[in-house]
């Protein structure tokens, strides 16, 4: 049975800016015993540089047809054939790469992305840049300075690229050359979580969460505010208690958009009017998923939930992995898959929430949810190990 110690991991996971922790108490966590119903082994493994290492990142891979694109924080970006694991191209977007690995290599500090659209791969950086590569060759198409850290994946729609920035700005860029078309500004509280919401493009609007607890929609053509809805209302005497970031990417299904806030709620909102259809008290900062009639989420403690998408009524909960700092959940066939910071990949029956299998990967741990490509699952660890897993068959 694997064990970890828990001291100040909350600070590392949430990435609070302006906070420190003096909690020296260590609690021992143990994984629940299960009997694997199947073994989910890797079909192939490869790597991309040194991954994101110990840094905060949402540097998620992205899939286009039979190619998966992955990146490391330092600046390596690869295109990999999803069937064979063979490298198709490799690009290094550092401005001044070092000759020797121990030299200062001017890390690109990739953090927000990856996204695919308009024949390009887009990625953002902590240095306040958005970089575009040719999707087929990996050649640099352009790189543009933006007014803030790009900590989340860009979104595409209506002929533009949208990037949400840590400075409280949402910018729209033209995909051909990266020219800025408009910028929307909102107020950022004094204390926030490290992450920011990835935008979502839908119905001629750009939907994104703000650090003040609001879900906002701006008009894609000009960046003018269309409506806002409260996902969380900051409460409490201290700045810490008043944290109410909406760091999750909004999910659009039909005429409804779903959003989740830290210290707040899971809400369903009418995408046309901004009226809140229902609201349930859940707190989370990891991206969630909507699969037909169900919403699946991991809350800020590590409990996993399934809720009815039309009403918000809870279908089941699974608290057995509390404290293991899970990634967001991914629906994969009949299963829900999530990784933890010790490199365990957990499989749940998506109808009941029962834990049905566990796979051990690299001990550097997972930092981003798995992604799917048909009957294939791609996972990436903190040290850059990329693995493909086929849809398992029960024993």
């Amino acid at each position: 049975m694997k064990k970890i110690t828990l001291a100040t991991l909350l600070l590392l996971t949430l990435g609070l800016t302006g906070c420190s922790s003096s909690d020296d108490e260590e609690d021992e966590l143990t994984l629940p015993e299960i009997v694997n119903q199947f073994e989910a082994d890797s079909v192939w493994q490869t790597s991309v540089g040194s991954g994101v290492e110990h840094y905060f990142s949402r540097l998620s891979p992205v899939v286009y047809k039979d190619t998966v694109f992955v990146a490391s924080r330092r600046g390596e970006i690869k295109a990999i054939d999803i069937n064979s694991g063979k490298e198709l191209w490799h690009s290094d977007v550092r401005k001044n790469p070092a000759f020797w690995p121990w030299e200062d290599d001017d890390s690109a500090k990739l953090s927000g992305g990856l996204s695919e659209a308009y024949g390009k791969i887009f990625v953002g950086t902590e240095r306040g840049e958005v970089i575009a590569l040719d999707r087929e060759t990996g050649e640099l198409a352009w790189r543009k300075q933006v007014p803030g850290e790009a900590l989340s994946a860009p979104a595409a729609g209506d002929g533009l690229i949208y990037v949400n920035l840590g400075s409280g700005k949402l910018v729209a860029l033209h995909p051909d050359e990266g020219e800025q078309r408009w910028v929307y500004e909102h107020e950022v509280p004094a204390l926030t979580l490290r992450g920011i919401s990835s935008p979502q493009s839908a119905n001629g609007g750009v939907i994104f969460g703000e650090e003040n607890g609001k879900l906002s929609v701006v008009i894609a053509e000009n960046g003018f505010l269309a409506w806002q809805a409260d996902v969380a209302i900051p409460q409490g005497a201290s700045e810490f208690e008043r944290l109410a970031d909406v760091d999750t990417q909004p999910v659009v299904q039909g005429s409804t958009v779903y959003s989740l806030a830290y210290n707040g709620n899971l809400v369903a909102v009418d995408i046309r009017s901004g009226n809140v259809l229902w609201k349930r008290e859940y707190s989370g900062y990891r991206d969630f998923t909507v699969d037909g009639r169900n919403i699946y989420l991991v809350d800020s403690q590590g409990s996993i939930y399934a809720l009815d998408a039309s009403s918000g009524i809870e279908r089941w909960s699974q608290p057995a992995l509390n404290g293991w700092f899970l990634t967001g959940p991914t629906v994969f066939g009949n299963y829900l898959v999530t990784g933890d910071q010790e490199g365990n990949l957990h499989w749940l029956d998506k109808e009941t929430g029962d834990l049905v299998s566990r796979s051990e990967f690299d001990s550097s741990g997972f930092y981003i949810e798995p992604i799917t490509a048909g009957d294939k699952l791609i996972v990436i660890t903190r040290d850059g190990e990329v693995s493909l897993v086929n849809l398992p068959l029960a024993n």
Side-chain angles (χ1 to χ4, degrees):
M1 185 181 301
K2 297 188 72 174
K3 298 181 179 181
I4 66 168
T5 58
L6 176 63
T8 57
L9 285 174
L10 178 62
L11 176 63
L12 297 175
T13 302
L14 297 184
L16 292 174
T17 56
C19 283
S20 62
S21 173
S22 59
D23 183 9
D24 295 327
E25 181 182 356
E26 293 190 356
D27 298 322
E28 186 178 87
L29 295 176
T30 58
L31 286 173
E33 295 282 359
I34 63 170
V35 176
N36 283 357
Q37 297 181 15
F38 54 81
E39 298 297 331
D41 297 324
S42 299
V43 177
W44 54 253
Q45 287 187 337
T46 186
S47 63
V48 54
S50 53
V52 301
E53 302 173 87
H54 59 278
Y55 296 96
F56 171 86
S57 178
R58 287 186 175 176
L59 198 57
S60 177
V62 67
V63 172
Y64 175 76
K65 294 185 177 179
D66 289 333
T67 305
V68 56
F69 302 89
V70 295
S72 75
R73 185 177 185 273
R74 289 179 179 270
E76 301 97 331
I77 302 177
K78 286 185 178 182
I80 301 168
D81 181 271
I82 202 167
N83 296 305
S84 65
K86 178 183 177 181
E87 181 182 307
L88 302 177
W89 55 253
H90 175 275
S91 181
D92 190 332
V93 298
R94 292 174 292 177
K95 289 183 177 179
N96 300 297
F99 182 78
W100 300 109
W102 55 80
E103 293 180 313
D104 181 7
D105 63 356
D106 189 25
S107 170
K109 296 187 178 180
L110 302 186
S111 183
L114 301 163
S115 298
E116 181 281 324
Y118 310 122
K120 295 180 177 67
I121 300 298
F122 300 94
V123 62
T125 82
E126 294 176 18
R127 296 185 183 278
E129 287 185 313
V130 176
I131 298 169
L133 304 180
D134 184 278
R135 187 183 62 211
E136 302 303 320
T137 66
E139 294 180 359
L140 180 68
W142 51 260
R143 63 194 308 154
K144 293 292 180 180
Q145 201 73 32
V146 289
E149 293 180 303
L151 301 176
S152 64
D158 297 291
L160 295 171
I161 300 297
Y162 311 102
V163 189
N164 195 15
L165 305 175
S167 59
K169 296 179 174 66
L170 176 76
V171 298
L173 307 176
H174 195 280
D176 289 346
E177 302 293 338
E179 302 98 334
Q180 182 175 298
R181 292 302 175 88
W182 52 256
V183 58
Y184 168 81
E185 297 188 39
H186 60 275
E187 186 177 352
V188 178
L191 183 66
T192 69
L193 302 183
R194 176 62 171 162
I196 53 178
S197 169
S198 293
Q200 184 76 273
S201 175
N203 296 5
V206 186
I207 313 164
F208 63 103
E210 296 188 15
E211 294 88 340
N212 57 11
K214 294 185 182 296
L215 178 70
S216 299
V217 176
V218 298
I219 300 169
E221 182 180 4
N222 52 32
F224 294 164
L225 182 66
W227 56 255
Q228 289 183 320
D230 288 326
V231 185
I233 298 176
Q235 300 180 42
S238 69
E239 292 292 341
F240 185 83
E241 292 174 322
R242 294 176 61 81
L243 285 170
D245 299 53
V246 183
D247 279 353
T248 56
Q249 183 180 41
V251 177
V252 177
Q253 184 167 274
S255 61
T256 304
V257 55
Y258 301 93
S259 185
L260 174 67
Y262 182 73
N263 278 344
N265 301 284
L266 174 71
V267 301
V269 181
D270 184 282
I271 199 170
R272 295 159 297 192
S273 65
N275 292 330
V276 175
L277 305 175
W278 54 256
K279 181 183 295 187
R280 300 289 180 265
E281 191 174 341
Y282 292 91
S283 172
Y285 54 90
R286 297 291 193 186
D287 283 346
F288 59 97
T289 187
V290 181
D291 178 39
R293 61 190 179 92
N294 288 329
I295 301 170
Y296 300 100
L297 65 88
V298 173
D299 74 2
S300 54
Q301 302 301 314
S303 290
I304 308 167
Y305 297 90
L307 303 99
D308 182 84
S310 62
S311 64
I313 294 174
E314 189 174 299
R315 294 187 180 274
W316 55 255
S317 64
Q318 177 54 268
L321 299 175
N322 271 3
W324 280 85
F325 299 98
L326 304 177
T327 69
T330 298
V331 173
F332 188 42
N334 296 322
Y335 307 104
L336 200 65
V337 189
T338 179
D340 68 33
Q341 89 283 6
E342 288 289 291
N344 300 295
L345 198 64
H346 304 277
W347 301 73
L348 292 79
D349 184 311
K350 73 175 185 179
E351 295 301 322
T352 65
D354 294 335
L355 290 162
V356 296
S357 188
R358 182 184 305 134
S359 311
E360 292 186 15
F361 285 77
D362 190 284
S363 61
S364 65
F366 295 105
Y367 67 96
I368 198 72
E369 58 271 7
I371 62 171
T372 60
D375 61 351
K376 299 176 176 62
L377 186 78
I378 296 119
V379 295
I380 185 167
T381 63
R382 281 194 169 273
D383 67 357
E385 179 184 278
V386 185
S387 304
L388 180 135
V389 178
N390 277 337
L391 189 64
L393 298 175
N395 294 330

